Amino acid sequence: MTAQTAAGPAPLGRAGVPDLDDVAGHWVGRGEIAHLPSLRNQQGQAHVNHDLTSLSWLAAPPFTFGYHTGELQVDGVVPAAQRFLWKPWGVLREHRRPDGLLLTTDTRMALSRDLLLWRIEVTNESDGPRTVELAQDLFAMAAHSEVGYGWLYDGPWNHGMHHDFMALERIRATTGGGGPHYLLSPAPRRLRLGRPRVPGIQRDEDHGPMLLDDALPAHVSHDKEPEPRTGVAGAVRGLGVTGADGGAILRAEGTIALTPDGETNLESFVLSPGLTIEFELRLDAAGQSGTVLTHGNHPDSLQIGVEDGRLWLGITGEREPTDTELAVGSWHHVRIQVAADEAVLRLAGAETARTRHWTESRRWMSRVEDGTVAFADSRSPARAAFAFAGPAGELRAEGAGRRATWTCRIEPGRSVVIGIACAYGTDAGTVAAQARAAAEDFEATTRAGRDGWRRLWAAMFTPGNPDFSGHLPTFTTEDAGLARTYYMGALQALYLRTTRIRPGEPVFLTGGPRLGPTTTYFWDHCEWSRLYALLEPAGLRSWLLRVLAGPYGDSFGVENLGGGPLGNAYSANDHALFRLVEHYVCVTGDLAFLDETPGGTTVLGHLERLGFGWRDRRAAATGGVLADFGDDPWQLLECVPTYTGVVASFNASYVASTRSLAGLYRLLGRHEDAERAEAEAGRLAEALLDLYAGSGRWRILRPDGTDTIGHCLDFGLVASALHRELPDRTRREMADSVTGRLLVGGWMRALSPDDPIAAASDRPDHGAAGAFAAWPGVTAHGLALLGHRDRAAALLRDLSSAASGGLWGQAMEIVTGPDGRHRARVAERGTATRDNIAGAAGAEAVLSALFDINPAFGTGRIAGLPAALSVEGIGTLTRLGPVA
């Protein structure tokens, strides 16, 4: 706890570990932020929405919730949240009406429980008594599944289980008085006949732009049988698309043959209200099942297909079947009419299917039992129940859910408080009992969550604690900015921790809540590898053994519940996994770990594969010395199309890992191998220095030519690996380029805005619009190694201003305020995640850049951390080592 004096609490960091309340969150106005706050409870995650009570993206594997949990109406109107206050244990939302009514809600996921809590408080700040009607919609579209938890994890929809990012975000946008319509995507999509494509941007158009605004790569788990992708045997003729005004949008002349494996591509257009698609369809075989037509290849695409010879209409999580079996060999006139809120299918002029609003579900049923509202999922064993604390309300049906209504008279200066608890599980009786118990002792239940988070926070910094296999050092300093960066980074790790998906092995998730409730990326994990090895060495050891036993060269991470690989290969993998193993061994002294045999190969063998990974990447067309990472931008920085081939960044990391292997060989007495590795590293370093283009930029080599680029990844990894041999002028130019071109608004840009490719690389994580959560820490580490510790400290000191009232997100975008000044905020556009474990890189850099804690095989010391370290002008680390 922070020491108290007569003048109040000591400045952050001066008394060591601060109180969690002082580290976590402050009120932010809706206009200040883009990405709304999240909720986590060490086993699940969720997002708050624009209104005062609803939640979306709730995933606590094996449970997921669809759509949202219901909005609060006050006197018949849904108020929008005007301010937000995030804490690890919950989110406060506030709306102050002009007539003197203050609405404050507190939404929580109870710590380590399958339980949601809402506290609704209405305060009368006016001079006279008020009668207020409160109406809370109650929806628990919950599902239970043990599979399907990829980065794009399956969520429940009326038709089934799939990930539909864009559609759910459109539904979220309707909350808090947003636009009423969500059914139609605003993006142009190609009309296709026949076999549908695998959803995902990488497989949409061969030469489409690398944008994430309307589609996602198909990063799904491998433990679920994919839906069949097949067309039908038949034909389509007279296909036409017309707009609301009757004007032609698309015409396909003649007859188009359909086959189960065939595909016919037509033009792109936007689905808009009033649009009509019509055609004649002939089926050539009875009882067929497959797709006839798709507008795009996304989960929320408009689709027409047949199931056992009967037509169906699908769009945005809904699929409506028809009862009429189509006669084989005959032509059938099909017409689809699209409106803002529904799509209608007509066969021979007669309506046969009509989509419905998501609340009018036929999948979930609700009923009232003893004052609780019970939900049951017809497609899984998931059950949920709402119970209430405070005044009794009226309960009535609202679609598939219920609406609870209270009429309250509130005297001037007084408040009314209502508590709502929602438990979920697989046994209806159990969840109802849990909801009732939480409601009956509502205030104690909410306090327990807050107190539990505070206990975990204290345990993080306590040797021998019962919650972590290690602990973090205590940072004491007079510099409140550096203290806040360090302790917020520690909290970032705690917040992303989950203890349920791998029993006995705490897992630190990469991000979310909109993505990845069981996912860890290798690259993101390495950005806090020192902290990881200090805090949770046993967990890191277990995680590494699982990862090294799998196909880590062909994926970017792992799905921790099922244990399988996830996504496409990343060029960063060798760098990331080598660093994680090295930091684990060098921090803990666990040399025996090198003899473990995950996947039939010793850990040392894996290290050699990773560290010498450049050997198999050399290409004659690009010089034959440095690693050539190929021509797929998705394996490097995704949004920078020129960043392919031979790049400086990961070649620099190969220099570092090859030299580190030389140091390890010496420790193991393999001196000839050490000399050979040193010589190879020298040749790599010499070739890498030839890539320097001046002014802090580096050349990129490809078989078809060269480019130059000013990217922070090149700066960070080159400075880390080659700082001792870079010429003085190069060191100075690199540091000046970063501080002059990239650092801005208390944060930074990943790519120099004057770079030739900047206009085509607008993503706020790796492009010129902002920077990934880890890049300031990586950059500060590089600045310190180049002799600019003062610049590193200045960068780290300011990072907390970018956290948008919470912690750091995947992407931090640079925006310009009304005063013309730049600032950074957590980005929402595209598919950026609200939370990201790589935000702990700021705390990591406090250790590496400011205290020179850089464990490596090349130092010749294993587990050589002292018990305490002090640096003048920075502060002191205590309880640092050794680590058991």
Side-chain angles (χ1 to χ4, degrees), residues 530-863:
R530 297 167 183 81
L531 291 172
Y532 198 170
L534 288 165
L535 176 64
E536 191 52 73
L540 176 54
R541 191 183 203 276
S542 177
W543 182 84
L544 282 169
L545 288 174
R546 286 196 294 112
V547 167
L548 294 175
Y552 55 80
D554 301 324
S555 55
F556 58 54
V558 289
E559 190 280 290
N560 289 284
L561 181 64
L566 201 59
N568 57 282
Y570 267 12
S571 299
N573 286 357
D574 288 356
H575 157 76
L577 291 174
F578 188 98
R579 173 170 157 173
L580 282 157
V581 173
E582 180 177 39
H583 284 172
Y584 167 75
V585 173
C586 291
V587 167
T588 65
D590 184 9
L591 277 170
F593 182 62
L594 299 175
D595 297 324
E596 297 277 1
T597 55
T601 301
T602 64
V603 172
L604 176 58
H606 286 288
L607 268 182
E608 291 173 317
R609 174 182 170 184
L610 297 165
F612 293 134
W614 53 271
R615 289 174 174 171
D616 294 331
R617 293 182 180 270
R618 293 171 293 183
T622 48
V625 178
L626 296 171
D628 186 329
F629 297 97
D631 61 0
D632 183 0
W634 283 91
Q635 294 192 14
L636 280 98
L637 289 175
E638 295 183 346
C639 67
V640 186
T642 58
Y643 203 74
T644 59
V646 175
V647 297
S649 57
F650 294 122
N651 272 291
S653 73
Y654 278 134
V655 173
S657 61
T658 302
R659 285 176 171 162
S660 193
L661 279 171
L664 179 58
Y665 288 146
R666 290 192 184 92
L667 285 171
L668 300 176
R670 294 169 53 178
H671 298 291
E672 290 186 5
D673 290 333
E675 294 300 323
R676 189 178 304 111
E678 281 286 6
E680 288 182 306
R683 287 192 291 272
L684 282 177
E686 184 178 353
L688 177 56
L689 291 172
D690 285 341
L691 294 182
Y692 186 62
S695 300
R697 299 179 185 271
W698 294 85
R699 287 190 299 138
I700 300 168
L701 306 183
R702 293 190 300 274
D704 61 350
T706 65
D707 278 298
T708 61
I709 197 164
H711 200 281
C712 70
L713 185 61
D714 285 344
F715 170 84
L717 295 188
V718 171
S720 179
L722 279 79
H723 54 278
R724 291 186 179 88
E725 56 212 280
L726 290 169
D728 289 343
R729 179 177 177 180
T730 302
R731 293 158 64 94
R732 184 174 61 254
E733 289 177 349
M734 287 174 62
D736 289 347
S737 178
V738 163
T739 54
R741 292 191 176 101
L742 301 185
L743 303 190
V744 61
W747 195 253
M748 66 183 298
R749 303 182 192 274
L751 177 66
S752 177
D754 63 355
D755 196 280
I757 201 62
S761 183
D762 188 46
R763 261 177 55 179
D765 51 359
H766 304 317
F772 178 53
W775 294 159
V778 171
T779 300
H781 179 71
L783 285 168
L785 291 175
L786 293 181
H788 300 283
R789 181 175 285 174
D790 57 337
R791 299 193 200 183
L795 171 57
L796 294 173
R797 185 175 295 121
D798 291 340
L799 298 187
S800 63
S801 66
S804 295
L807 299 173
W808 299 287
Q810 169 199 333
M812 311 294 295
E813 61 187 352
I814 305 300
V815 296
T816 305
D819 57 359
R821 300 179 64 181
H822 295 304
R823 65 180 181 90
R825 66 182 184 185
V826 180
E828 183 186 41
R829 62 192 176 98
T831 59
T833 59
R834 180 58 182 85
D835 311 316
N836 192 281
I837 193 68
E844 178 97 339
V846 170
L847 302 185
S848 70
L850 306 186
F851 285 93
D852 198 28
I853 296 175
N854 292 295
F857 295 126
T859 64
R861 294 198 316 270
I862 301 296

Side-chain angles (χ1 to χ4, degrees), residues 197-211:
R197 293 189 176 191
V198 173
I201 190 172
Q202 290 169 302
R203 299 176 178 87
D204 187 12
E205 307 298 341
D206 293 338
H207 302 290
M210 290 188 292
L211 301 175

Side-chain angles (χ1 to χ4, degrees), residues 210-253:
M210 290 188 292
L211 301 175
L212 298 179
D213 294 332
D214 189 58
L216 282 166
H219 296 329
V220 296
S221 63
H222 297 284
D223 59 4
K224 179 185 174 185
E225 189 71 23
E227 292 186 9
R229 295 184 300 116
T230 184
V232 298
V236 163
R237 71 182 183 189
L239 174 63
V241 181
T242 56
D245 61 358
I249 295 174
L250 182 152
R251 286 282 183 267
E253 302 296 334

Side-chain angles (χ1 to χ4, degrees), residues 111-197:
L111 183 64
S112 300
R113 298 182 65 184
D114 291 327
L115 179 68
L116 309 175
L117 301 167
W118 291 268
R119 185 181 188 274
I120 301 169
E121 182 173 4
V122 184
T123 302
N124 181 6
E125 297 182 328
S126 70
D127 295 331
R130 304 290 301 276
T131 298
V132 181
E133 183 184 83
L134 306 176
Q136 175 64 52
D137 286 344
L138 307 169
F139 295 107
M141 276 52 172
H144 177 279
S145 177
E146 300 285 350
V147 300
Y149 291 97
W151 186 238
L152 276 65
Y153 68 93
D154 285 350
W157 296 81
N158 287 323
H159 172 61
M161 298 288 291
H162 61 269
H163 191 91
D164 200 337
F165 188 97
M166 305 303 166
L168 187 49
E169 283 299 289
R170 292 200 299 272
I171 290 172
R172 287 186 70 212
T174 67
T175 61
H181 309 302
Y182 68 87
L183 194 69
L184 306 181
S185 168
R189 295 175 176 176
R190 187 177 296 280
L191 193 68
R192 293 189 174 93
L193 299 176
R195 181 174 185 252
R197 293 189 176 191

